[in-house]
Amino acid sequence: MAPDINASGRTDPGLIRSENQDCIFVDQDMGLYVVLDGMGGHQGGATASRIARDVIVDIVSRGLQHTEAAKLMTEACQTASARVHQEGARNRELHGMGTTVVAVLMTSARTAIVAHVGDSRAYLMRDQRLRRITNDHSIVAELVAAGRLTPDQAEDHPHASVLSRNLGGLPSAEVDVQAIELATGDRLLLCSDGLNGFASHSAMEQIVGGSASASSTTLDLVELAKRGGGGDNVSAIIIEIGEQKQRKRSAMPDSGARAWWQRRRLFADVCQRMGLGDSPLAGGLAPGEAIDLLCNSFCEAVFHDLEKTTGVHVWTYADSLVKTWFAREGSFAPIQELFDILRAASLAVVRDVSTQDENFGVCLEIALLRALIVGEMVIGGELGASIRQANEQFVAAERTSELPDNTFANIATVPFAALSAPMPAAPEVNRCLRQGMQDAEERLAPARNPRHAEILRAVHNSAGEFSGDGDMTMTAKSLYGNRLLSEQELVPILEALDACRAAHLMAIDWQDIAPTARATAYRSAALAHQSLSHAFALVTVDAGKPTTDMLREMNQTTSQMRETLARNEQLLTQLESTHDTAEETLL
């Protein structure tokens, strides 16, 4: 078994906690790997996790030869729960202590028995995709499973960390056990919630899929959790199955990193020629300082990731850059332009390397493109989070729109955050709305769609009163026409409504005026677009009402005919039966 499996574990107190209440166990000869996360006060958590670890190791070691693996893991966890509970009842200072557990017992080089209780997790990395294979035993997870919460709501739920099961809370514990069939190249990740609670799934996937060895993977995972805040103890175990691809590219990290670093001057020159020094992302710094901030920092991050075959440094570079820029209410365009320049400069380095060794140049190109993809994933994730947050804030503000204005003071929303300040002067808001409409018309002009101008004018007129809720029925009827439209005819109108809304709101959002005026203009235009869409939906329904009524009548008639047919078929069956009986009597 040992030659086919390579494993490594690491545990760390994190950046906030003074004591590490996590506990791990790694034994390749036994084939047992365990992560435990203790709870129950200063002493209780650490005591619970260590008692449970010792019990599980003892029972598994004694039962390996004569007990079926799944039963053995269940027995080990249940006995550990009883022992922790017993110790907590005996010692008042430890009363109420408990621990989570996730454990793997390798019964062969290709079969893993996974047992878990609580919210410590097991993941399977296969074909560069990281998939969770355990379900958290928490109150919130059960609400999600029952359909009473969405996954997004669960992430920010105040009781997200409240467990529904643990070892030690009761004398016995319900243990989830499953068998996982593994393939060559698979990686299993066991971790406490100090990792997945402070690192995104995408970041974990990049590191588990890209690090050169099990040891470097656990090191990078712990570092990732710390860079994400490090608010809890963090533990991780990596189990590699079979020969890993890293052996075949073992020469790449050192030589690739060296080749990249030797050409950092070329990389910087290309970035400078393409205007990176003037990027708004540099925040008014001199061109040389901007190059150092945006270009050299990326170059160094790539060097360290090539050196370790990981993605944590580029991930950190992009995460810090994007969060800082969006916190300053920056737009997406400069971020996109930055990564276009970084990509072009990276390919310039690849071309230079390829003149000496074409095959090596291809390998380096793949590694660099992977680094850029890591950065772009960070951007996509942050954009998605920002959009979800803005949408939630907008909905929250809309729900309270009929209340006095001072209720908005405690609502952190994108369009309404400034409403606690004095209302801006009407001319300034009108100027923002007018310029926004003109900019939107320019953006949409290449499409040459006459509906765009009609939609923008109607929205502008409604938004000019700052309420944005004027009657849009006449505009909606004008867009719809005077006959029933087919689905193919409706789609272009809906696309026009959507295109106008996107272009208009973006144009207003980019106006260089006081934030209070821009927020008011943005809100009123958004409400006007919403009102127009709602009116169009009502007009569409009204236009189809005669057809709908006719279809309803036809459905009722069809139902009646089906009932009549069913009765007739039943009567026919009875008549045939009577006829057969009569014939038998005659015979």
Side-chain angles (χ1 to χ4, degrees):
M1 184 187 304
D4 294 322
I5 295 176
N6 183 37
S8 177
R10 194 176 302 272
T11 185
D12 191 280
L15 300 178
I16 306 298
R17 305 284 178 86
S18 59
E19 181 188 28
N20 192 355
Q21 297 185 352
D22 282 6
C23 186
I24 67 172
F25 180 80
V26 177
D27 191 321
Q28 285 188 228
D29 293 332
M30 192 187 304
L32 180 64
Y33 310 89
V34 189
V35 170
L36 305 105
D37 180 1
M39 64 200 77
H42 180 66
Q43 294 181 347
T47 303
S49 63
R50 282 153 182 75
I51 289 175
R53 176 199 61 188
D54 294 343
V55 170
I56 291 171
V57 171
D58 179 60
I59 290 179
V60 171
S61 63
R62 288 189 287 108
L64 271 176
Q65 304 302 321
H66 52 78
T67 305
E68 191 268 326
K71 291 182 180 179
L72 180 61
M73 294 297 283
T74 301
E75 177 190 349
C77 292
Q78 289 177 339
T79 305
S81 183
R83 195 74 57 82
V84 172
H85 182 80
Q86 181 183 25
E87 186 63 22
R90 188 186 65 81
N91 188 336
R92 179 175 298 180
E93 293 182 357
L94 302 178
H95 181 71
M97 68 178 178
T99 182
T100 70
V101 64
V102 59
V104 164
L105 178 62
M106 299 297 302
T107 58
S108 70
R110 295 294 181 269
T111 303
I113 304 300
V114 182
H116 91 287
V117 179
D119 61 357
S120 292
R121 295 179 174 180
Y123 293 84
L124 172 64
M125 185 77 189
R126 177 176 292 171
D127 298 329
Q128 295 303 304
R129 291 297 178 191
L130 187 66
R131 177 174 61 89
R132 179 151 61 102
I133 57 177
T134 57
N135 296 316
D136 293 347
H137 298 145
S138 66
I139 301 298
V140 169
E142 291 182 0
L143 291 174
V144 173
R148 297 172 61 184
L149 284 179
T150 66
D152 288 340
Q153 290 171 332
E155 288 184 5
D156 301 320
H157 198 280
H159 302 307
S161 59
V162 178
L163 299 181
S164 56
R165 300 188 213 171
N166 65 68
L167 299 184
L170 296 171
S172 61
E174 184 180 352
V175 186
D176 284 359
V177 180
Q178 58 180 312
I180 303 295
E181 294 301 320
L182 302 169
T184 300
D186 284 352
R187 281 182 170 184
L188 284 171
L189 164 64
L190 311 182
C191 66
S192 63
D193 67 341
L195 174 60
N196 56 269
F198 293 89
S200 70
H201 183 89
S202 298
M204 292 164 56
E205 184 176 69
Q206 287 293 326
I207 289 176
V208 177
S211 294
S213 65
S215 178
S216 65
T217 304
T218 55
L219 178 63
D220 286 342
L221 288 172
V222 169
E223 180 68 17
L224 180 68
K226 288 183 175 181
R227 295 188 185 200
D232 197 359
N233 306 149
V234 54
S235 299
I237 294 175
I238 288 291
I239 309 167
E240 296 179 337
I241 309 302
E243 292 291 328
Q244 298 297 310
K245 294 180 180 179
Q246 283 75 13
R247 293 185 182 180
K248 297 180 180 179
R249 60 179 192 227
S250 58
M252 181 60 193
D254 181 57
S255 54
R258 192 184 320 115
W260 169 260
W261 193 246
Q262 288 171 348
R263 291 164 176 81
R264 63 188 184 279
R265 177 76 66 180
L266 168 62
F267 182 83
D269 289 344
V270 174
C271 289
Q272 192 166 15
R273 287 199 304 272
M274 296 186 69
L276 187 58
D278 300 323
S279 172
L281 294 165
L285 296 175
E289 295 174 321
I291 290 294
D292 184 62
L293 173 68
L294 301 175
C295 166
N296 295 341
S297 296
F298 176 81
C299 193
E300 186 174 350
V302 171
F303 169 75
H304 288 304
D305 282 346
L306 288 173
E307 188 180 36
K308 298 180 179 180
T309 321
T310 183
V312 67
H313 295 88
V314 170
W315 186 278
T316 303
Y317 164 88
D319 186 62
S320 174
L321 181 72
V322 171
K323 286 182 176 177
T324 302
W325 178 244
F326 286 162
R328 292 163 49 191
E329 298 185 357
S331 63
F332 172 65
I335 293 284
Q336 185 178 34
E337 182 181 6
L338 166 66
F339 272 81
D340 288 343
I341 293 174
L342 295 177
R343 182 183 297 272
S346 298
L347 293 179
V349 171
V350 169
R351 286 193 295 272
D352 188 68
V353 170
S354 297
T355 58
Q356 300 177 15
D357 187 334
E358 185 174 355
N359 291 332
F360 186 74
V362 171
C363 294
L364 182 60
E365 180 178 7
I366 293 172
L368 292 177
L369 291 178
R370 178 181 175 276
L372 288 163
I373 290 171
V374 167
E376 289 167 354
M377 286 179 62
V378 174
I379 297 170
E382 192 63 28
L383 278 173
S386 298
I387 291 171
R388 287 193 299 272
Q389 182 182 19
N391 183 61
E392 291 170 0
Q393 291 170 342
F394 187 82
V395 171
E398 281 299 290
R399 288 172 181 164
T400 60
S401 60
E402 296 180 0
L403 299 177
D405 284 346
N406 59 11
T407 59
F408 291 111
N410 297 323
I411 301 176
T413 64
V414 171
F416 305 127
L419 290 184
S420 57
M423 199 68 175
E428 190 175 16
V429 178
N430 280 325
R431 188 163 54 251
C432 178
L433 287 169
R434 185 167 55 254
Q435 187 61 50
M437 183 186 71
Q438 294 172 357
D439 292 349
E441 286 180 336
E442 291 179 5
R443 290 175 180 274
L444 297 171
R448 297 182 179 179
N449 188 336
R451 294 192 184 98
H452 290 163
E454 183 179 358
I455 292 169
L456 291 172
R457 279 196 301 270
V459 169
H460 174 72
N461 292 335
S462 174
E465 298 175 359
F466 305 152
S467 64
D469 57 356
D471 188 2
M472 290 288 194
T473 304
M474 295 306 298
T475 303
K477 288 183 177 179
S478 173
L479 290 169
Y480 189 90
N482 56 7
R483 64 183 180 84
L484 184 64
L485 300 182
S486 65
E487 182 178 353
Q488 290 78 9
E489 293 170 313
L490 279 173
V491 168
I493 303 177
L494 296 175
E495 289 177 345
L497 288 168
D498 193 53
C500 285
R501 180 171 58 250
H504 197 186
L505 296 182
M506 183 179 294
I508 291 174
D509 196 36
W510 283 5
Q511 297 304 309
D512 187 17
I513 64 169
T516 305
R518 184 171 63 242
T520 302
Y522 188 98
R523 177 182 182 275
S524 58
L527 290 174
H529 277 287
Q530 183 181 15
S531 178
L532 177 56
S533 297
H534 180 68
F536 187 80
L538 292 178
V539 169
T540 303
V541 171
D542 287 342
K545 191 174 185 302
T547 304
T548 303
D549 292 341
M550 182 179 65
L551 288 174
R552 186 181 298 111
E553 293 175 0
M554 292 175 64
N555 284 333
Q556 291 174 351
T557 302
T558 303
S559 298
Q560 293 172 357
M561 292 176 65
R562 285 175 178 168
E563 292 174 0
T564 302
L565 178 61
R567 286 196 299 270
N568 290 339
E569 288 178 343
Q570 184 177 9
L571 179 60
L572 180 61
T573 301
Q574 292 174 353
L575 288 173
E576 289 176 346
S577 177
T578 302
H579 180 267
D580 292 339
T581 302
E583 282 191 336
E584 290 176 0
T585 302
L586 289 174
L587 294 174

Tab-separated table of all heavy atoms in Angstrom, residues 432 435-441 443 501-512 518:
chain	number	residue	atom	x	y	z
A	432	CYS	N	-27.145	64.679	-14.449
A	432	CYS	CA	-26.617	63.306	-14.448
A	432	CYS	C	-27.516	62.390	-15.276
A	432	CYS	O	-27.027	61.580	-16.073
A	432	CYS	CB	-26.517	62.792	-13.013
A	432	CYS	SG	-25.949	61.091	-12.879
A	435	GLN	N	-27.132	63.320	-19.081
A	435	GLN	CA	-25.864	62.851	-19.640
A	435	GLN	C	-25.838	61.322	-19.721
A	435	GLN	O	-25.314	60.737	-20.669
A	435	GLN	CB	-24.698	63.340	-18.775
A	435	GLN	CG	-23.325	63.056	-19.365
A	435	GLN	CD	-23.123	63.721	-20.703
A	435	GLN	OE1	-23.379	64.930	-20.850
A	435	GLN	NE2	-22.673	62.971	-21.697
A	436	GLY	N	-26.443	60.679	-18.717
A	436	GLY	CA	-26.502	59.216	-18.740
A	436	GLY	C	-27.301	58.706	-19.917
A	436	GLY	O	-26.917	57.726	-20.567
A	437	MET	N	-28.435	59.386	-20.224
A	437	MET	CA	-29.240	58.968	-21.372
A	437	MET	C	-28.460	59.154	-22.669
A	437	MET	O	-28.463	58.290	-23.551
A	437	MET	CB	-30.540	59.779	-21.422
A	437	MET	CG	-31.473	59.351	-22.565
A	437	MET	SD	-32.911	60.407	-22.743
A	437	MET	CE	-32.152	61.895	-23.383
A	438	GLN	N	-27.759	60.290	-22.803
A	438	GLN	CA	-26.993	60.538	-24.019
A	438	GLN	C	-25.881	59.514	-24.194
A	438	GLN	O	-25.657	58.993	-25.304
A	438	GLN	CB	-26.422	61.960	-23.987
A	438	GLN	CG	-27.481	63.054	-24.048
A	438	GLN	CD	-26.895	64.438	-23.822
A	438	GLN	OE1	-25.699	64.590	-23.565
A	438	GLN	NE2	-27.754	65.456	-23.907
A	439	ASP	N	-25.169	59.218	-23.090
A	439	ASP	CA	-24.091	58.219	-23.173
A	439	ASP	C	-24.645	56.850	-23.532
A	439	ASP	O	-24.034	56.092	-24.298
A	439	ASP	CB	-23.338	58.144	-21.843
A	439	ASP	CG	-22.537	59.406	-21.554
A	439	ASP	OD1	-22.403	60.249	-22.474
A	439	ASP	OD2	-22.050	59.542	-20.419
A	440	ALA	N	-25.811	56.504	-22.965
A	440	ALA	CA	-26.416	55.208	-23.272
A	440	ALA	C	-26.822	55.133	-24.737
A	440	ALA	O	-26.653	54.093	-25.396
A	440	ALA	CB	-27.625	54.971	-22.364
A	441	GLU	N	-27.371	56.237	-25.278
A	441	GLU	CA	-27.745	56.259	-26.697
A	441	GLU	C	-26.526	56.049	-27.579
A	441	GLU	O	-26.595	55.328	-28.594
A	441	GLU	CB	-28.431	57.592	-27.033
A	441	GLU	CG	-29.847	57.702	-26.496
A	441	GLU	CD	-30.496	59.023	-26.833
A	441	GLU	OE1	-29.754	60.007	-27.056
A	441	GLU	OE2	-31.718	59.082	-26.884
A	443	ARG	N	-23.814	54.417	-26.761
A	443	ARG	CA	-23.385	53.020	-26.625
A	443	ARG	C	-24.243	52.094	-27.481
A	443	ARG	O	-23.751	51.106	-28.036
A	443	ARG	CB	-23.481	52.575	-25.169
A	443	ARG	CG	-22.475	53.207	-24.242
A	443	ARG	CD	-22.752	52.786	-22.793
A	443	ARG	NE	-21.801	53.385	-21.875
A	443	ARG	CZ	-20.614	52.860	-21.592
A	443	ARG	NH1	-20.254	51.734	-22.153
A	443	ARG	NH2	-19.806	53.460	-20.757
A	501	ARG	N	-31.489	48.949	-20.212
A	501	ARG	CA	-31.294	49.012	-18.766
A	501	ARG	C	-29.812	48.915	-18.418
A	501	ARG	O	-29.285	49.715	-17.630
A	501	ARG	CB	-32.073	47.899	-18.069
A	501	ARG	CG	-31.906	47.896	-16.558
A	501	ARG	CD	-32.846	46.933	-15.874
A	501	ARG	NE	-32.671	45.577	-16.342
A	501	ARG	CZ	-33.555	44.921	-17.084
A	501	ARG	NH1	-34.665	45.518	-17.445
A	501	ARG	NH2	-33.330	43.691	-17.470
A	502	ALA	N	-29.115	47.964	-19.012
A	502	ALA	CA	-27.698	47.782	-18.707
A	502	ALA	C	-26.874	49.004	-19.114
A	502	ALA	O	-26.057	49.519	-18.338
A	502	ALA	CB	-27.175	46.530	-19.413
A	503	ALA	N	-27.081	49.489	-20.355
A	503	ALA	CA	-26.304	50.620	-20.842
A	503	ALA	C	-26.615	51.892	-20.060
A	503	ALA	O	-25.721	52.674	-19.733
A	503	ALA	CB	-26.583	50.835	-22.331
A	504	HIS	N	-27.893	52.098	-19.741
A	504	HIS	CA	-28.318	53.314	-19.056
A	504	HIS	C	-27.753	53.378	-17.634
A	504	HIS	O	-27.162	54.383	-17.220
A	504	HIS	CB	-29.842	53.360	-19.033
A	504	HIS	CG	-30.385	54.723	-18.726
A	504	HIS	ND1	-31.715	54.965	-18.544
A	504	HIS	CD2	-29.769	55.920	-18.556
A	504	HIS	CE1	-31.895	56.257	-18.291
A	504	HIS	NE2	-30.732	56.848	-18.289
A	505	LEU	N	-27.918	52.315	-16.880
A	505	LEU	CA	-27.456	52.316	-15.495
A	505	LEU	C	-25.938	52.385	-15.418
A	505	LEU	O	-25.380	53.037	-14.529
A	505	LEU	CB	-27.976	51.074	-14.772
A	505	LEU	CG	-29.501	50.990	-14.634
A	505	LEU	CD1	-29.895	49.740	-13.848
A	505	LEU	CD2	-30.064	52.222	-13.962
A	506	MET	N	-25.255	51.732	-16.355
A	506	MET	CA	-23.800	51.812	-16.371
A	506	MET	C	-23.340	53.239	-16.685
A	506	MET	O	-22.402	53.764	-16.070
A	506	MET	CB	-23.214	50.829	-17.391
A	506	MET	CG	-21.690	50.803	-17.398
A	506	MET	SD	-21.038	49.602	-18.593
A	506	MET	CE	-21.599	48.085	-17.852
A	507	ALA	N	-24.026	53.874	-17.630
A	507	ALA	CA	-23.660	55.237	-18.006
A	507	ALA	C	-23.859	56.191	-16.832
A	507	ALA	O	-23.028	57.073	-16.578
A	507	ALA	CB	-24.489	55.693	-19.209
A	508	ILE	N	-24.948	56.036	-16.093
A	508	ILE	CA	-25.192	56.889	-14.927
A	508	ILE	C	-24.159	56.614	-13.844
A	508	ILE	O	-23.635	57.528	-13.203
A	508	ILE	CB	-26.616	56.660	-14.389
A	508	ILE	CG1	-27.644	57.210	-15.387
A	508	ILE	CG2	-26.809	57.301	-13.026
A	508	ILE	CD1	-29.073	56.911	-15.015
A	509	ASP	N	-23.845	55.353	-13.649
A	509	ASP	CA	-22.900	54.968	-12.603
A	509	ASP	C	-21.508	55.544	-12.849
A	509	ASP	O	-20.738	55.761	-11.920
A	509	ASP	CB	-22.831	53.435	-12.519
A	509	ASP	CG	-22.193	52.968	-11.230
A	509	ASP	OD1	-22.413	53.625	-10.195
A	509	ASP	OD2	-21.492	51.948	-11.243
A	510	TRP	N	-21.176	55.830	-14.112
A	510	TRP	CA	-19.841	56.326	-14.443
A	510	TRP	C	-19.770	57.854	-14.476
A	510	TRP	O	-18.724	58.412	-14.775
A	510	TRP	CB	-19.411	55.773	-15.807
A	510	TRP	CG	-18.980	54.339	-15.732
A	510	TRP	CD1	-19.036	53.515	-14.652
A	510	TRP	CD2	-18.439	53.545	-16.792
A	510	TRP	NE1	-18.572	52.262	-14.954
A	510	TRP	CE2	-18.190	52.244	-16.279
A	510	TRP	CE3	-18.135	53.786	-18.132
A	510	TRP	CZ2	-17.661	51.230	-17.040
A	510	TRP	CZ3	-17.605	52.760	-18.897
A	510	TRP	CH2	-17.365	51.498	-18.352
A	511	GLN	N	-20.870	58.543	-14.191
A	511	GLN	CA	-20.848	60.004	-14.242
A	511	GLN	C	-19.968	60.557	-13.131
A	511	GLN	O	-20.027	60.108	-11.983
A	511	GLN	CB	-22.268	60.568	-14.116
A	511	GLN	CG	-23.199	60.173	-15.246
A	511	GLN	CD	-22.655	60.552	-16.603
A	511	GLN	OE1	-22.257	61.697	-16.815
A	511	GLN	NE2	-22.615	59.603	-17.521
A	512	ASP	N	-19.177	61.553	-13.477
A	512	ASP	CA	-18.232	62.151	-12.534
A	512	ASP	C	-18.908	63.326	-11.824
A	512	ASP	O	-18.648	64.497	-12.120
A	512	ASP	CB	-16.974	62.618	-13.275
A	512	ASP	CG	-15.896	63.087	-12.304
A	512	ASP	OD1	-15.986	62.744	-11.095
A	512	ASP	OD2	-14.989	63.812	-12.725
A	518	ARG	N	-25.407	61.096	-7.925
A	518	ARG	CA	-25.328	59.912	-8.769
A	518	ARG	C	-26.187	58.788	-8.208
A	518	ARG	O	-26.871	58.077	-8.941
A	518	ARG	CB	-23.873	59.447	-8.898
A	518	ARG	CG	-23.721	58.256	-9.852
A	518	ARG	CD	-22.273	57.927	-10.144
A	518	ARG	NE	-21.559	57.523	-8.953
A	518	ARG	CZ	-20.513	58.163	-8.439
A	518	ARG	NH1	-20.064	59.260	-9.023
A	518	ARG	NH2	-19.912	57.737	-7.348
